[in-house]
Amino acid sequence: MTFSPTSMSSSLSSSDTDVASVITAPPPSYSAATQLQSRLKSFFSPTTTTPHLMGEVPSFTLPDDFDLTNQKGFKSNSWFTPAHMNSQKGIRRVSSAPNANKLLVKQQQQQQYPRPPLTPSTHSLYHQSSKEDVGSMLTFGRRTFRRTYSSASIKVKQLQVGPSSFVKIRMLGKGDVGKVYMVKQKNTDKLFAMKVLSKRVMLKRNKVKRALAEQEILATSNHPFIVTLYHSFQSQDYLYFVMEYCMGGEFFRALQLRPGKCLNEEGAQFYAAEVIAALEYLHLHGFIYRDLKPENILLHQSGHIMLSDFDLSKGSSPPGNPGVVKSTSPNLPPSIDTKCCVNNLRTNSFVGTEEYIAPEVIKGCGHTSSVDWWTLGILIYEMLYGTTPFKGSNRSETFGRVLHCDPKFSHQPAPYQQHTPSSPCKGLIRRLLHKDEGRRLGSRAGASDIKAHPFFKSVNFALLRHESPPIVPLVQLPNGIDALNFRKMPPESCSLDLEADINVSSPRSIYPSSARANTSHDDDNNNSNNDSTVKDVSGVNDNPFEKFNSMTLYHEGDSDPEFDHY
């Protein structure tokens, strides 16, 4: 877990609102008994007699090994539920992903063939993966894909832990308002990443509402490419996030340790697709990310990515209803228009990372969800070349290049020096880095526009988490307690004592009213959409952190044993 040392912000005020998480009615095109709906229904209802079972040519086909009988994801996905079944139930904003029943069966079969323990490479802590590597990795240590991602697989419970429930192992990262530690839960010995934020520093730097926004996103997200939150609570002096410990460390560090600090085009395509899936999910919930960069991407021990650090994210209140994008091919189903969910969100804050910042943010004319697609273009370029396309010797030169220059494509660094990006790849980057946000790829229908680009023609987005990642982090110990893939942090000048810190649900205010009043001036005064943050509490609330919820989140599948032993 990392913080953004180069993040910049200019802050203004906004008011609190709650983000709705349920759509009251499905899109009209799914309510009608159309031919397309009957086709889709036939594939998700195994007991129904369909034309292709009687020898006729099917309209389109699904993968042969797709297990429909055990598919919770489709069962709970309201997008493919007939209208008469949706009459009493709204559509939940979820991103269903195929369960891994078959994958787990393969794991059990592969466990009878033990593999030798991994040893660190003399050149890198990461290695290029193959199907054999991934198969071995899945059976070694943690059972990777036990989690499910349906609408009913996450439950909020009363807080069950506190600071003293954990033992601090080591510091993993440090930022301007807090630190991230590896901790071990006492009663289970399970490892977590604990993000600890200082209340005094947040008040001094006007970042209270950012912590609230981050909690809102983490507590409502249930996606394989977004870091998982398990507990959140507060003490008199600190806010705590207890999250999944990603043994692979920072994606940025993984790139830096590779030859040429880059990936080949196939690897860049894979990780870009996973980032798109995560951004699509955030936009569907009404949030724009605004700070995409390799430092904010973590690597799961399987090699798949997980987005983290949502303190610069911005939410639409309430989010709009998703639309439907009709497919131009008769063999493909329609896709979801996530642009509609963040259509009313336009903000004027100056936030982001210098080399990733979009032209409209520099101009100060306000920005929308299109900034996420600009940063995606920068990320793809950096994965291919090991540097960003507009980097200058100083901030002014960098901003000048962002506003006036186009990305240049040459041969990739060694060991890919014989290759230049393909035409679809260069075309995608150019369209993502269009200076006019209204003409940028993704400005029409969001992620659906980008997923339909020829560069991703070979990508099966629905099954990404079952594909072999380009990078598999080396893990010596099954639980990753050695933090092999993290930077060595200097000793702390003032160590946090978890045993002495007592969690409280509503701490008594210890802050002067002048300090509390500053929390209203952090972001977006001229925003056309209200922000889900604390209001000016001067004379109104004694506790500026009252809206920070203490809770425990239960994720279906996490009650299963975490580790397999030979």
Side-chain angles (χ1 to χ4, degrees), residues 442-461:
S443 62
R444 182 182 66 93
S448 296
D449 291 344
I450 300 165
K451 290 160 72 174
H453 192 275
F455 181 65
F456 295 108
K457 184 178 181 180
S458 61
V459 175
N460 189 336
F461 281 87

Side-chain angles (χ1 to χ4, degrees), residues 490-533:
E492 296 182 80
S493 56
C494 182
S495 180
L496 174 66
D497 187 356
L498 294 178
E499 291 289 342
D501 208 19
I502 303 175
N503 62 305
V504 290
S505 56
S506 182
R508 175 179 55 85
S509 175
I510 58 173
Y511 312 107
S513 59
S514 59
R516 295 198 307 268
N518 287 337
T519 62
S520 66
H521 301 286
D522 187 30
D523 197 14
D524 307 323
N525 188 38
N526 297 321
N527 183 13
S528 61
N529 191 283
N530 293 330
D531 199 15
S532 303
T533 52

Side-chain angles (χ1 to χ4, degrees), residues 228-405:
T228 303
L229 176 70
Y230 291 102
H231 310 281
S232 63
F233 47 88
Q234 60 178 304
S235 67
Q236 192 69 41
D237 300 312
Y238 299 100
L239 300 182
Y240 293 87
F241 294 100
V242 180
M243 299 172 288
E244 180 174 3
Y245 169 49
C246 295
M247 302 180 199
E250 290 180 8
F251 184 59
F252 175 77
R253 186 167 186 263
L255 289 177
Q256 293 295 306
L257 292 177
R258 290 180 61 81
K261 302 181 180 181
C262 62
L263 293 164
N264 60 18
E265 185 172 317
E266 184 180 6
Q269 179 198 58
F270 179 89
Y271 284 121
E274 293 196 334
V275 169
I276 291 169
L279 292 177
E280 180 181 40
Y281 181 84
L282 290 175
H283 290 186
L284 185 64
H285 280 256
F287 295 100
I288 55 177
Y289 188 37
R290 302 202 298 181
D291 198 24
L292 178 65
K293 57 182 177 179
E295 293 89 335
N296 286 346
I297 300 174
L298 298 176
L299 275 182
H300 189 266
Q301 57 265 33
S302 63
H304 294 274
I305 63 102
M306 304 193 86
L307 287 192
S308 65
D309 288 346
F310 299 95
D311 57 322
L312 293 186
S313 299
K314 182 77 173 174
S316 177
S317 302
N321 294 341
V324 175
V325 181
K326 293 184 179 180
S327 174
T328 56
S329 171
N331 296 328
L332 295 174
S335 54
I336 300 175
D337 177 5
T338 54
K339 174 69 174 178
C340 297
C341 303
V342 287
N343 236 0
N344 298 324
L345 180 56
R346 188 171 189 89
T347 174
N348 293 286
S349 54
F350 188 81
V351 297
T353 299
E354 184 176 310
E355 295 174 38
Y356 276 74
I357 206 160
E360 58 268 26
V361 178
I362 297 175
K363 294 177 181 177
C365 56
H367 57 270
T368 64
S369 60
S370 290
V371 297
D372 283 346
W373 307 129
W374 171 276
T375 56
L376 175 65
I378 303 288
L379 176 66
I380 296 174
Y381 190 97
E382 183 168 3
M383 285 192 289
L384 292 171
Y385 289 98
T387 186
T388 53
F390 306 114
K391 184 177 181 179
S393 57
N394 54 57
R395 178 179 296 183
S396 296
E397 184 179 349
T398 298
F399 285 178
R401 292 182 178 183
V402 168
L403 293 173
H404 306 295
C405 297

